[in-house]
């Protein structure tokens, strides 16, 4: 996997997140957790790139709006 860059969200609003994990179940669990915290797009397909380790997915989130169990 590529090195990770920690990013601080400077201001609230919409974000695009590329999720990479060792396993498809891990990626799905991360996306489900994000749905709990923020309003998110429909979870996209989890994919594996030939010759590359891990699984990947993309999700759009709005950090201004609460997720499914927010206030």
């Amino acid at each position: 996997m590529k090195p990770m860059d920690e990013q601080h969200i400077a201001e609230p609003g919409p974000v695009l997140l590329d999720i990479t994990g060792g396993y498809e179940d891990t990626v799905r669990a991360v996306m489900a957790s994000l749905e709990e915290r923020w309003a998110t797009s429909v979870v996209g397909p989890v994919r594996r790139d030939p010759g590359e380790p891990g699984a990947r997915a993309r999700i759009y989130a709005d950090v201004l709006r609460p997720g499914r169990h927010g206030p």
Side-chain angles (χ1 to χ4, degrees):
M1 277 191 244
K2 294 179 183 177
M4 288 186 255
D5 289 334
E6 183 176 321
Q7 296 289 321
H8 175 74
I9 299 172
E11 58 185 61
V15 295
L16 168 65
L17 302 167
D18 285 315
I19 311 296
T20 302
Y23 304 97
E24 291 178 24
D25 289 344
T26 303
V27 172
R28 285 189 183 95
V30 168
M31 290 190 297
S33 178
L34 292 172
E35 286 180 323
E36 300 292 324
R37 176 175 291 253
W38 299 320
T40 61
S41 63
V42 175
V43 173
V46 176
R47 65 189 189 282
R48 289 187 170 273
D49 296 328
E52 294 288 323
R56 294 168 179 69
R58 177 171 279 183
I59 191 168
Y60 296 87
D62 187 340
V63 299
L64 279 175
R65 297 177 26 215
R68 291 185 289 168
H69 298 290

